[in-house]
Amino acid sequence: MLFRSTFLDSGVDSVVEIRNGVGIDRRTGTAASRVLYSYEVLPRGSRIPFCFEAELPVVDSVVTDAIIERAVVALIAALRNGDVRLGGAQTRGLGRVELVDARVSRHLFTDPISTIEALGDGRDATDLLESSDHVVRTGLHVDVTWSSHGNVMSADGGQGFGVDTLPLVGLIDKDHLTVVLPGASIKGVLRSRAEFIVRTVTGRHLASPTSESDIDHLDQMSQSPVITALFGEALESSSTEATKHRGRRGALAIDD
């Protein structure tokens, strides 16, 4: 038996935003040496085709079918509720998606008639969509809303005519722009402050480098397991130590 759910829509076509980022040196509060990066972002409102399949072996097992059905229903519910994120920087503002206009069908290959049906659209499985409406979300979700007491702007990497700095903007649909405060920037500010608090409470200070080459940005960020659990840890592919900077996702997620 094959469960198939599809989401096909053209939406925003061939639009990719380029964002720039830097690491912040915890000693100076300025851009860290050799920590400059760029990444591509699909703007809000982008619609992408999506299809997933759950394939079961042809066995006489009602229990197996039921387990797979529950898993499919749970995944559909998570996608429709926006609980599944795609791509990179998922806790830093990006990757939030929502499944809409979903279609679910069953493709049976247990007998000749079912096999012929499977060559087309299969049998409708709207009952799985209806079941996903009643899935109870698990885990602890805390949403924090805030507003600025003053003017706040995240700068773009480019320059304008007659001005040195432009605000970062992004598409909200194919025809309109809005200013953006990236989740990466907000999370970076919160992390820096949290690290300062932990260093103050524990009395652990950042060691002074003997030269600029001795500054290790990842070492600055891995001073506390509490900070790592909340904000995550970057993966250092060049590390020669097996246990150093393996990389992990933090528990705290900040949207753009």
Side-chain angles (χ1 to χ4, degrees):
M1 182 166 57
L2 187 69
F3 294 108
R4 173 172 294 178
S5 176
T6 60
F7 164 41
L8 300 172
D9 199 300
S10 56
V12 179
D13 296 324
S14 303
V15 177
V16 176
E17 300 173 3
I18 305 297
R19 294 189 187 177
N20 301 305
V22 297
I24 301 299
D25 189 291
R26 268 48 176 180
R27 299 179 181 89
T28 64
T30 59
S33 176
R34 301 185 300 277
V35 188
L36 172 65
Y37 56 91
S38 299
Y39 53 97
E40 297 179 339
V41 177
L42 290 178
R44 175 183 177 180
S46 298
R47 298 169 72 89
I48 59 176
F50 173 76
C51 175
F52 77 83
E53 299 177 350
E55 187 172 352
L56 281 67
V58 181
V59 295
D60 186 13
S61 175
V62 178
V63 175
T64 301
D65 291 357
I67 292 175
I68 296 299
E69 281 199 20
R70 288 198 298 270
V72 170
V73 168
L75 178 57
I76 293 174
L79 288 168
R80 297 174 81 180
N81 293 331
D83 294 333
V84 176
R85 297 192 178 225
L86 303 179
Q90 295 178 13
T91 63
R92 296 186 292 129
L94 304 182
R96 188 172 183 176
V97 295
E98 180 182 351
L99 180 68
V100 297
D101 301 332
R103 302 188 303 273
V104 185
S105 58
R106 288 184 177 90
H107 298 256
L108 305 176
F109 302 92
T110 54
D111 55 74
I113 295 179
S114 298
T115 302
I116 293 175
E117 290 180 340
L119 296 177
D121 296 329
R123 298 182 182 179
D124 183 80
T126 306
D127 57 303
L128 297 182
L129 287 176
E130 295 173 350
S131 297
S132 70
D133 293 332
H134 304 289
V135 172
V136 178
R137 299 177 67 181
T138 59
L140 176 64
H141 299 265
V142 180
D143 296 328
V144 179
T145 57
W146 62 279
S147 60
S148 171
H149 292 291
N151 297 324
V152 179
M153 182 191 77
S154 182
D156 196 354
Q159 295 183 351
F161 295 100
V163 293
D164 295 331
T165 305
L166 292 172
L168 180 66
V169 298
L171 286 170
I172 55 176
D173 57 41
K174 290 184 287 188
D175 302 313
H176 298 88
L177 295 171
T178 186
V179 290
V180 177
L181 288 180
S185 299
I186 301 173
K187 188 174 181 180
V189 171
L190 294 177
R191 176 168 191 150
S192 179
R193 189 63 179 175
E195 291 174 355
F196 178 81
I197 293 172
V198 169
R199 289 197 301 269
T200 301
V201 171
T202 61
R204 178 182 296 179
H205 302 289
L206 293 173
S208 299
T210 57
S211 66
E212 183 178 352
S213 61
D214 291 335
I215 297 177
D216 189 330
H217 182 63
L218 292 181
D219 283 342
Q220 293 183 9
M221 299 172 60
S222 59
Q223 299 296 313
S224 165
V226 175
I227 298 298
T228 300
L230 276 177
F231 296 95
E233 184 178 33
L235 174 64
E236 185 182 26
S237 58
S238 60
S239 175
T240 57
E241 300 178 28
T243 59
K244 184 179 180 182
H245 302 314
R246 289 180 177 274
R248 64 173 293 175
R249 180 183 300 175
L252 180 64
I254 305 293
D255 286 329
D256 280 2

PDB file of all heavy atoms in Angstrom, residues 62-102:
ATOM      1  N   VAL A  62      -2.496  -6.086   9.705  1.00  0.00           N
ATOM      2  CA  VAL A  62      -3.332  -4.917  10.010  1.00  0.00           C
ATOM      3  C   VAL A  62      -2.609  -3.992  10.970  1.00  0.00           C
ATOM      4  O   VAL A  62      -2.731  -2.767  10.903  1.00  0.00           O
ATOM      5  CB  VAL A  62      -4.679  -5.375  10.606  1.00  0.00           C
ATOM      6  CG1 VAL A  62      -5.530  -4.169  10.981  1.00  0.00           C
ATOM      7  CG2 VAL A  62      -5.415  -6.272   9.623  1.00  0.00           C
ATOM      8  N   VAL A  63      -1.812  -4.578  11.892  1.00  0.00           N
ATOM      9  CA  VAL A  63      -1.087  -3.769  12.879  1.00  0.00           C
ATOM     10  C   VAL A  63      -0.092  -2.847  12.192  1.00  0.00           C
ATOM     11  O   VAL A  63      -0.006  -1.657  12.476  1.00  0.00           O
ATOM     12  CB  VAL A  63      -0.368  -4.683  13.893  1.00  0.00           C
ATOM     13  CG1 VAL A  63       0.484  -3.844  14.831  1.00  0.00           C
ATOM     14  CG2 VAL A  63      -1.376  -5.506  14.666  1.00  0.00           C
ATOM     15  N   THR A  64       0.667  -3.377  11.225  1.00  0.00           N
ATOM     16  CA  THR A  64       1.642  -2.564  10.502  1.00  0.00           C
ATOM     17  C   THR A  64       0.959  -1.435   9.755  1.00  0.00           C
ATOM     18  O   THR A  64       1.419  -0.283   9.774  1.00  0.00           O
ATOM     19  CB  THR A  64       2.442  -3.436   9.516  1.00  0.00           C
ATOM     20  OG1 THR A  64       3.110  -4.465  10.245  1.00  0.00           O
ATOM     21  CG2 THR A  64       3.472  -2.603   8.772  1.00  0.00           C
ATOM     22  N   ASP A  65      -0.143  -1.735   9.075  1.00  0.00           N
ATOM     23  CA  ASP A  65      -0.888  -0.701   8.362  1.00  0.00           C
ATOM     24  C   ASP A  65      -1.328   0.407   9.311  1.00  0.00           C
ATOM     25  O   ASP A  65      -1.238   1.602   8.995  1.00  0.00           O
ATOM     26  CB  ASP A  65      -2.112  -1.306   7.672  1.00  0.00           C
ATOM     27  CG  ASP A  65      -1.717  -2.219   6.519  1.00  0.00           C
ATOM     28  OD1 ASP A  65      -0.507  -2.315   6.245  1.00  0.00           O
ATOM     29  OD2 ASP A  65      -2.611  -2.823   5.902  1.00  0.00           O
ATOM     30  N   ALA A  66      -1.819   0.032  10.481  1.00  0.00           N
ATOM     31  CA  ALA A  66      -2.306   1.025  11.437  1.00  0.00           C
ATOM     32  C   ALA A  66      -1.177   1.906  11.943  1.00  0.00           C
ATOM     33  O   ALA A  66      -1.339   3.117  12.108  1.00  0.00           O
ATOM     34  CB  ALA A  66      -3.001   0.321  12.610  1.00  0.00           C
ATOM     35  N   ILE A  67      -0.013   1.309  12.186  1.00  0.00           N
ATOM     36  CA  ILE A  67       1.137   2.076  12.672  1.00  0.00           C
ATOM     37  C   ILE A  67       1.575   3.094  11.623  1.00  0.00           C
ATOM     38  O   ILE A  67       1.816   4.267  11.935  1.00  0.00           O
ATOM     39  CB  ILE A  67       2.302   1.132  13.033  1.00  0.00           C
ATOM     40  CG1 ILE A  67       1.938   0.291  14.258  1.00  0.00           C
ATOM     41  CG2 ILE A  67       3.572   1.929  13.291  1.00  0.00           C
ATOM     42  CD1 ILE A  67       2.976  -0.748  14.611  1.00  0.00           C
ATOM     43  N   ILE A  68       1.659   2.656  10.370  1.00  0.00           N
ATOM     44  CA  ILE A  68       2.073   3.560   9.298  1.00  0.00           C
ATOM     45  C   ILE A  68       1.040   4.660   9.097  1.00  0.00           C
ATOM     46  O   ILE A  68       1.376   5.827   8.871  1.00  0.00           O
ATOM     47  CB  ILE A  68       2.297   2.775   7.999  1.00  0.00           C
ATOM     48  CG1 ILE A  68       3.450   1.792   8.169  1.00  0.00           C
ATOM     49  CG2 ILE A  68       2.593   3.719   6.850  1.00  0.00           C
ATOM     50  CD1 ILE A  68       4.771   2.439   8.504  1.00  0.00           C
ATOM     51  N   GLU A  69      -0.249   4.309   9.171  1.00  0.00           N
ATOM     52  CA  GLU A  69      -1.286   5.321   9.015  1.00  0.00           C
ATOM     53  C   GLU A  69      -1.168   6.395  10.092  1.00  0.00           C
ATOM     54  O   GLU A  69      -1.290   7.589   9.814  1.00  0.00           O
ATOM     55  CB  GLU A  69      -2.676   4.669   9.062  1.00  0.00           C
ATOM     56  CG  GLU A  69      -3.081   3.995   7.770  1.00  0.00           C
ATOM     57  CD  GLU A  69      -4.591   3.786   7.685  1.00  0.00           C
ATOM     58  OE1 GLU A  69      -5.322   4.484   8.415  1.00  0.00           O
ATOM     59  OE2 GLU A  69      -5.023   2.937   6.891  1.00  0.00           O
ATOM     60  N   ARG A  70      -0.930   5.984  11.341  1.00  0.00           N
ATOM     61  CA  ARG A  70      -0.782   6.962  12.428  1.00  0.00           C
ATOM     62  C   ARG A  70       0.434   7.858  12.185  1.00  0.00           C
ATOM     63  O   ARG A  70       0.395   9.059  12.459  1.00  0.00           O
ATOM     64  CB  ARG A  70      -0.667   6.241  13.769  1.00  0.00           C
ATOM     65  CG  ARG A  70      -1.954   5.618  14.259  1.00  0.00           C
ATOM     66  CD  ARG A  70      -1.893   5.311  15.748  1.00  0.00           C
ATOM     67  NE  ARG A  70      -0.843   4.355  16.068  1.00  0.00           N
ATOM     68  CZ  ARG A  70      -1.018   3.042  16.098  1.00  0.00           C
ATOM     69  NH1 ARG A  70      -2.203   2.523  15.798  1.00  0.00           N
ATOM     70  NH2 ARG A  70      -0.017   2.237  16.404  1.00  0.00           N
ATOM     71  N   ALA A  71       1.508   7.266  11.672  1.00  0.00           N
ATOM     72  CA  ALA A  71       2.704   8.057  11.394  1.00  0.00           C
ATOM     73  C   ALA A  71       2.448   9.070  10.280  1.00  0.00           C
ATOM     74  O   ALA A  71       2.879  10.229  10.366  1.00  0.00           O
ATOM     75  CB  ALA A  71       3.864   7.130  11.012  1.00  0.00           C
ATOM     76  N   VAL A  72       1.727   8.651   9.234  1.00  0.00           N
ATOM     77  CA  VAL A  72       1.397   9.558   8.129  1.00  0.00           C
ATOM     78  C   VAL A  72       0.499  10.684   8.619  1.00  0.00           C
ATOM     79  O   VAL A  72       0.698  11.861   8.278  1.00  0.00           O
ATOM     80  CB  VAL A  72       0.731   8.781   6.977  1.00  0.00           C
ATOM     81  CG1 VAL A  72       0.176   9.745   5.931  1.00  0.00           C
ATOM     82  CG2 VAL A  72       1.722   7.820   6.330  1.00  0.00           C
ATOM     83  N   VAL A  73      -0.500  10.344   9.417  1.00  0.00           N
ATOM     84  CA  VAL A  73      -1.409  11.367   9.959  1.00  0.00           C
ATOM     85  C   VAL A  73      -0.636  12.362  10.817  1.00  0.00           C
ATOM     86  O   VAL A  73      -0.850  13.581  10.734  1.00  0.00           O
ATOM     87  CB  VAL A  73      -2.535  10.701  10.780  1.00  0.00           C
ATOM     88  CG1 VAL A  73      -3.309  11.741  11.577  1.00  0.00           C
ATOM     89  CG2 VAL A  73      -3.483   9.943   9.861  1.00  0.00           C
ATOM     90  N   ALA A  74       0.273  11.871  11.655  1.00  0.00           N
ATOM     91  CA  ALA A  74       1.059  12.761  12.516  1.00  0.00           C
ATOM     92  C   ALA A  74       1.945  13.689  11.687  1.00  0.00           C
ATOM     93  O   ALA A  74       2.081  14.881  12.001  1.00  0.00           O
ATOM     94  CB  ALA A  74       1.906  11.933  13.481  1.00  0.00           C
ATOM     95  N   LEU A  75       2.539  13.158  10.607  1.00  0.00           N
ATOM     96  CA  LEU A  75       3.389  13.989   9.756  1.00  0.00           C
ATOM     97  C   LEU A  75       2.570  15.046   9.029  1.00  0.00           C
ATOM     98  O   LEU A  75       2.983  16.212   8.924  1.00  0.00           O
ATOM     99  CB  LEU A  75       4.133  13.110   8.751  1.00  0.00           C
ATOM    100  CG  LEU A  75       5.038  13.847   7.761  1.00  0.00           C
ATOM    101  CD1 LEU A  75       6.071  14.686   8.484  1.00  0.00           C
ATOM    102  CD2 LEU A  75       5.716  12.853   6.819  1.00  0.00           C
ATOM    103  N   ILE A  76       1.403  14.668   8.515  1.00  0.00           N
ATOM    104  CA  ILE A  76       0.535  15.641   7.843  1.00  0.00           C
ATOM    105  C   ILE A  76       0.139  16.754   8.802  1.00  0.00           C
ATOM    106  O   ILE A  76       0.171  17.943   8.459  1.00  0.00           O
ATOM    107  CB  ILE A  76      -0.720  14.949   7.272  1.00  0.00           C
ATOM    108  CG1 ILE A  76      -0.332  13.997   6.141  1.00  0.00           C
ATOM    109  CG2 ILE A  76      -1.734  15.976   6.776  1.00  0.00           C
ATOM    110  CD1 ILE A  76      -1.490  13.174   5.621  1.00  0.00           C
ATOM    111  N   ALA A  77      -0.214  16.381  10.032  1.00  0.00           N
ATOM    112  CA  ALA A  77      -0.598  17.381  11.023  1.00  0.00           C
ATOM    113  C   ALA A  77       0.555  18.326  11.326  1.00  0.00           C
ATOM    114  O   ALA A  77       0.369  19.549  11.429  1.00  0.00           O
ATOM    115  CB  ALA A  77      -1.067  16.692  12.302  1.00  0.00           C
ATOM    116  N   ALA A  78       1.761  17.774  11.469  1.00  0.00           N
ATOM    117  CA  ALA A  78       2.926  18.604  11.764  1.00  0.00           C
ATOM    118  C   ALA A  78       3.218  19.574  10.618  1.00  0.00           C
ATOM    119  O   ALA A  78       3.537  20.747  10.846  1.00  0.00           O
ATOM    120  CB  ALA A  78       4.133  17.720  12.036  1.00  0.00           C
ATOM    121  N   LEU A  79       3.091  19.101   9.382  1.00  0.00           N
ATOM    122  CA  LEU A  79       3.322  19.959   8.222  1.00  0.00           C
ATOM    123  C   LEU A  79       2.253  21.048   8.118  1.00  0.00           C
ATOM    124  O   LEU A  79       2.551  22.203   7.803  1.00  0.00           O
ATOM    125  CB  LEU A  79       3.350  19.129   6.946  1.00  0.00           C
ATOM    126  CG  LEU A  79       4.585  18.240   6.740  1.00  0.00           C
ATOM    127  CD1 LEU A  79       4.343  17.264   5.593  1.00  0.00           C
ATOM    128  CD2 LEU A  79       5.808  19.095   6.451  1.00  0.00           C
ATOM    129  N   ARG A  80       1.015  20.702   8.388  1.00  0.00           N
ATOM    130  CA  ARG A  80      -0.068  21.687   8.295  1.00  0.00           C
ATOM    131  C   ARG A  80       0.009  22.712   9.416  1.00  0.00           C
ATOM    132  O   ARG A  80      -0.415  23.864   9.249  1.00  0.00           O
ATOM    133  CB  ARG A  80      -1.424  20.974   8.309  1.00  0.00           C
ATOM    134  CG  ARG A  80      -1.624  20.053   7.110  1.00  0.00           C
ATOM    135  CD  ARG A  80      -2.911  19.253   7.215  1.00  0.00           C
ATOM    136  NE  ARG A  80      -4.070  20.023   6.802  1.00  0.00           N
ATOM    137  CZ  ARG A  80      -5.323  19.553   6.806  1.00  0.00           C
ATOM    138  NH1 ARG A  80      -5.538  18.302   7.198  1.00  0.00           N
ATOM    139  NH2 ARG A  80      -6.322  20.295   6.416  1.00  0.00           N
ATOM    140  N   ASN A  81       0.564  22.324  10.572  1.00  0.00           N
ATOM    141  CA  ASN A  81       0.690  23.246  11.708  1.00  0.00           C
ATOM    142  C   ASN A  81       1.976  24.065  11.676  1.00  0.00           C
ATOM    143  O   ASN A  81       2.199  24.904  12.547  1.00  0.00           O
ATOM    144  CB  ASN A  81       0.637  22.470  13.025  1.00  0.00           C
ATOM    145  CG  ASN A  81      -0.721  21.850  13.293  1.00  0.00           C
ATOM    146  OD1 ASN A  81      -1.740  22.380  12.837  1.00  0.00           O
ATOM    147  ND2 ASN A  81      -0.747  20.736  14.003  1.00  0.00           N
ATOM    148  N   GLY A  82       2.842  23.808  10.686  1.00  0.00           N
ATOM    149  CA  GLY A  82       4.105  24.543  10.620  1.00  0.00           C
ATOM    150  C   GLY A  82       5.139  24.067  11.615  1.00  0.00           C
ATOM    151  O   GLY A  82       6.067  24.806  11.950  1.00  0.00           O
ATOM    152  N   ASP A  83       5.023  22.831  12.102  1.00  0.00           N
ATOM    153  CA  ASP A  83       5.966  22.309  13.083  1.00  0.00           C
ATOM    154  C   ASP A  83       7.209  21.705  12.447  1.00  0.00           C
ATOM    155  O   ASP A  83       8.156  21.359  13.155  1.00  0.00           O
ATOM    156  CB  ASP A  83       5.280  21.238  13.953  1.00  0.00           C
ATOM    157  CG  ASP A  83       4.180  21.818  14.825  1.00  0.00           C
ATOM    158  OD1 ASP A  83       4.275  23.024  15.156  1.00  0.00           O
ATOM    159  OD2 ASP A  83       3.231  21.089  15.175  1.00  0.00           O
ATOM    160  N   VAL A  84       7.208  21.548  11.126  1.00  0.00           N
ATOM    161  CA  VAL A  84       8.359  20.998  10.423  1.00  0.00           C
ATOM    162  C   VAL A  84       9.024  22.127   9.647  1.00  0.00           C
ATOM    163  O   VAL A  84       8.358  22.869   8.921  1.00  0.00           O
ATOM    164  CB  VAL A  84       7.941  19.868   9.455  1.00  0.00           C
ATOM    165  CG1 VAL A  84       9.146  19.370   8.662  1.00  0.00           C
ATOM    166  CG2 VAL A  84       7.297  18.719  10.228  1.00  0.00           C
ATOM    167  N   ARG A  85      10.336  22.265   9.800  1.00  0.00           N
ATOM    168  CA  ARG A  85      11.078  23.299   9.084  1.00  0.00           C
ATOM    169  C   ARG A  85      12.033  22.647   8.091  1.00  0.00           C
ATOM    170  O   ARG A  85      12.516  21.551   8.315  1.00  0.00           O
ATOM    171  CB  ARG A  85      11.840  24.197  10.054  1.00  0.00           C
ATOM    172  CG  ARG A  85      10.912  24.950  10.990  1.00  0.00           C
ATOM    173  CD  ARG A  85      11.628  26.033  11.752  1.00  0.00           C
ATOM    174  NE  ARG A  85      10.689  26.756  12.609  1.00  0.00           N
ATOM    175  CZ  ARG A  85      10.642  28.070  12.725  1.00  0.00           C
ATOM    176  NH1 ARG A  85      11.487  28.828  12.048  1.00  0.00           N
ATOM    177  NH2 ARG A  85       9.765  28.648  13.519  1.00  0.00           N
ATOM    178  N   LEU A  86      12.298  23.363   7.009  1.00  0.00           N
ATOM    179  CA  LEU A  86      13.146  22.841   5.944  1.00  0.00           C
ATOM    180  C   LEU A  86      14.375  23.721   5.769  1.00  0.00           C
ATOM    181  O   LEU A  86      14.345  24.921   6.036  1.00  0.00           O
ATOM    182  CB  LEU A  86      12.365  22.786   4.621  1.00  0.00           C
ATOM    183  CG  LEU A  86      11.060  21.979   4.601  1.00  0.00           C
ATOM    184  CD1 LEU A  86      10.413  22.057   3.226  1.00  0.00           C
ATOM    185  CD2 LEU A  86      11.295  20.534   5.002  1.00  0.00           C
ATOM    186  N   GLY A  87      15.453  23.108   5.296  1.00  0.00           N
ATOM    187  CA  GLY A  87      16.656  23.868   4.981  1.00  0.00           C
ATOM    188  C   GLY A  87      17.516  24.162   6.184  1.00  0.00           C
ATOM    189  O   GLY A  87      17.390  23.548   7.242  1.00  0.00           O
ATOM    190  N   GLY A  88      18.404  25.144   6.031  1.00  0.00           N
ATOM    191  CA  GLY A  88      19.326  25.526   7.091  1.00  0.00           C
ATOM    192  C   GLY A  88      18.785  26.653   7.947  1.00  0.00           C
ATOM    193  O   GLY A  88      17.755  27.262   7.639  1.00  0.00           O
ATOM    194  N   ALA A  89      19.503  26.931   9.050  1.00  0.00           N
ATOM    195  CA  ALA A  89      19.170  28.023   9.963  1.00  0.00           C
ATOM    196  C   ALA A  89      17.721  27.949  10.439  1.00  0.00           C
ATOM    197  O   ALA A  89      17.018  28.960  10.511  1.00  0.00           O
ATOM    198  CB  ALA A  89      19.438  29.374   9.306  1.00  0.00           C
ATOM    199  N   GLN A  90      17.279  26.730  10.766  1.00  0.00           N
ATOM    200  CA  GLN A  90      15.877  26.530  11.109  1.00  0.00           C
ATOM    201  C   GLN A  90      15.486  27.181  12.432  1.00  0.00           C
ATOM    202  O   GLN A  90      14.304  27.466  12.649  1.00  0.00           O
ATOM    203  CB  GLN A  90      15.580  25.032  11.155  1.00  0.00           C
ATOM    204  CG  GLN A  90      15.720  24.351   9.807  1.00  0.00           C
ATOM    205  CD  GLN A  90      15.474  22.856   9.889  1.00  0.00           C
ATOM    206  OE1 GLN A  90      14.980  22.348  10.878  1.00  0.00           O
ATOM    207  NE2 GLN A  90      15.848  22.138   8.845  1.00  0.00           N
ATOM    208  N   THR A  91      16.433  27.390  13.339  1.00  0.00           N
ATOM    209  CA  THR A  91      16.117  28.063  14.596  1.00  0.00           C
ATOM    210  C   THR A  91      16.517  29.534  14.554  1.00  0.00           C
ATOM    211  O   THR A  91      16.410  30.221  15.553  1.00  0.00           O
ATOM    212  CB  THR A  91      16.843  27.379  15.781  1.00  0.00           C
ATOM    213  OG1 THR A  91      18.272  27.499  15.603  1.00  0.00           O
ATOM    214  CG2 THR A  91      16.457  25.912  15.869  1.00  0.00           C
ATOM    215  N   ARG A  92      16.965  30.000  13.396  1.00  0.00           N
ATOM    216  CA  ARG A  92      17.388  31.394  13.248  1.00  0.00           C
ATOM    217  C   ARG A  92      16.559  32.099  12.190  1.00  0.00           C
ATOM    218  O   ARG A  92      17.067  32.850  11.380  1.00  0.00           O
ATOM    219  CB  ARG A  92      18.876  31.466  12.913  1.00  0.00           C
ATOM    220  CG  ARG A  92      19.759  30.936  14.033  1.00  0.00           C
ATOM    221  CD  ARG A  92      21.228  31.135  13.758  1.00  0.00           C
ATOM    222  NE  ARG A  92      21.684  30.306  12.645  1.00  0.00           N
ATOM    223  CZ  ARG A  92      22.369  30.765  11.597  1.00  0.00           C
ATOM    224  NH1 ARG A  92      22.646  32.046  11.491  1.00  0.00           N
ATOM    225  NH2 ARG A  92      22.754  29.942  10.652  1.00  0.00           N
ATOM    226  N   GLY A  93      15.246  31.827  12.220  1.00  0.00           N
ATOM    227  CA  GLY A  93      14.333  32.603  11.392  1.00  0.00           C
ATOM    228  C   GLY A  93      13.899  31.975  10.097  1.00  0.00           C
ATOM    229  O   GLY A  93      12.956  32.454   9.462  1.00  0.00           O
ATOM    230  N   LEU A  94      14.570  30.902   9.660  1.00  0.00           N
ATOM    231  CA  LEU A  94      14.297  30.382   8.322  1.00  0.00           C
ATOM    232  C   LEU A  94      13.673  28.988   8.377  1.00  0.00           C
ATOM    233  O   LEU A  94      13.638  28.340   9.411  1.00  0.00           O
ATOM    234  CB  LEU A  94      15.602  30.327   7.517  1.00  0.00           C
ATOM    235  CG  LEU A  94      16.368  31.637   7.393  1.00  0.00           C
ATOM    236  CD1 LEU A  94      17.605  31.444   6.532  1.00  0.00           C
ATOM    237  CD2 LEU A  94      15.492  32.739   6.832  1.00  0.00           C
ATOM    238  N   GLY A  95      13.183  28.546   7.211  1.00  0.00           N
ATOM    239  CA  GLY A  95      12.715  27.175   7.062  1.00  0.00           C
ATOM    240  C   GLY A  95      11.279  26.924   7.457  1.00  0.00           C
ATOM    241  O   GLY A  95      10.815  25.786   7.384  1.00  0.00           O
ATOM    242  N   ARG A  96      10.542  27.933   7.868  1.00  0.00           N
ATOM    243  CA  ARG A  96       9.166  27.714   8.305  1.00  0.00           C
ATOM    244  C   ARG A  96       8.269  27.489   7.093  1.00  0.00           C
ATOM    245  O   ARG A  96       8.224  28.310   6.177  1.00  0.00           O
ATOM    246  CB  ARG A  96       8.675  28.913   9.113  1.00  0.00           C
ATOM    247  CG  ARG A  96       7.317  28.702   9.764  1.00  0.00           C
ATOM    248  CD  ARG A  96       6.982  29.845  10.694  1.00  0.00           C
ATOM    249  NE  ARG A  96       5.711  29.629  11.378  1.00  0.00           N
ATOM    250  CZ  ARG A  96       5.212  30.435  12.306  1.00  0.00           C
ATOM    251  NH1 ARG A  96       5.891  31.501  12.668  1.00  0.00           N
ATOM    252  NH2 ARG A  96       4.061  30.167  12.871  1.00  0.00           N
ATOM    253  N   VAL A  97       7.569  26.377   7.078  1.00  0.00           N
ATOM    254  CA  VAL A  97       6.695  26.040   5.960  1.00  0.00           C
ATOM    255  C   VAL A  97       5.345  25.587   6.488  1.00  0.00           C
ATOM    256  O   VAL A  97       5.194  25.209   7.649  1.00  0.00           O
ATOM    257  CB  VAL A  97       7.302  24.924   5.079  1.00  0.00           C
ATOM    258  CG1 VAL A  97       8.580  25.387   4.408  1.00  0.00           C
ATOM    259  CG2 VAL A  97       7.549  23.665   5.896  1.00  0.00           C
ATOM    260  N   GLU A  98       4.367  25.632   5.606  1.00  0.00           N
ATOM    261  CA  GLU A  98       3.017  25.174   5.945  1.00  0.00           C
ATOM    262  C   GLU A  98       2.451  24.422   4.747  1.00  0.00           C
ATOM    263  O   GLU A  98       2.509  24.912   3.611  1.00  0.00           O
ATOM    264  CB  GLU A  98       2.125  26.359   6.299  1.00  0.00           C
ATOM    265  CG  GLU A  98       0.699  25.965   6.662  1.00  0.00           C
ATOM    266  CD  GLU A  98      -0.170  27.163   6.971  1.00  0.00           C
ATOM    267  OE1 GLU A  98       0.372  28.279   7.065  1.00  0.00           O
ATOM    268  OE2 GLU A  98      -1.397  26.987   7.089  1.00  0.00           O
ATOM    269  N   LEU A  99       1.924  23.255   4.998  1.00  0.00           N
ATOM    270  CA  LEU A  99       1.323  22.439   3.943  1.00  0.00           C
ATOM    271  C   LEU A  99      -0.116  22.883   3.718  1.00  0.00           C
ATOM    272  O   LEU A  99      -0.923  22.903   4.639  1.00  0.00           O
ATOM    273  CB  LEU A  99       1.364  20.964   4.344  1.00  0.00           C
ATOM    274  CG  LEU A  99       0.769  19.970   3.347  1.00  0.00           C
ATOM    275  CD1 LEU A  99       1.620  19.909   2.084  1.00  0.00           C
ATOM    276  CD2 LEU A  99       0.658  18.582   3.970  1.00  0.00           C
ATOM    277  N   VAL A 100      -0.423  23.242   2.474  1.00  0.00           N
ATOM    278  CA  VAL A 100      -1.787  23.660   2.116  1.00  0.00           C
ATOM    279  C   VAL A 100      -2.215  22.908   0.856  1.00  0.00           C
ATOM    280  O   VAL A 100      -1.388  22.383   0.105  1.00  0.00           O
ATOM    281  CB  VAL A 100      -1.876  25.186   1.879  1.00  0.00           C
ATOM    282  CG1 VAL A 100      -1.544  25.956   3.153  1.00  0.00           C
ATOM    283  CG2 VAL A 100      -0.944  25.612   0.752  1.00  0.00           C
ATOM    284  N   ASP A 101      -3.504  22.874   0.651  1.00  0.00           N
ATOM    285  CA  ASP A 101      -4.070  22.231  -0.545  1.00  0.00           C
ATOM    286  C   ASP A 101      -3.556  20.798  -0.713  1.00  0.00           C
ATOM    287  O   ASP A 101      -3.199  20.370  -1.814  1.00  0.00           O
ATOM    288  CB  ASP A 101      -3.739  23.046  -1.810  1.00  0.00           C
ATOM    289  CG  ASP A 101      -4.277  24.463  -1.735  1.00  0.00           C
ATOM    290  OD1 ASP A 101      -5.290  24.661  -1.046  1.00  0.00           O
ATOM    291  OD2 ASP A 101      -3.676  25.365  -2.342  1.00  0.00           O
ATOM    292  N   ALA A 102      -3.503  20.079   0.381  1.00  0.00           N
ATOM    293  CA  ALA A 102      -2.953  18.720   0.337  1.00  0.00           C
ATOM    294  C   ALA A 102      -3.969  17.739  -0.230  1.00  0.00           C
ATOM    295  O   ALA A 102      -5.177  17.885  -0.042  1.00  0.00           O
ATOM    296  CB  ALA A 102      -2.531  18.281   1.739  1.00  0.00           C
TER     297      ALA A 102
END
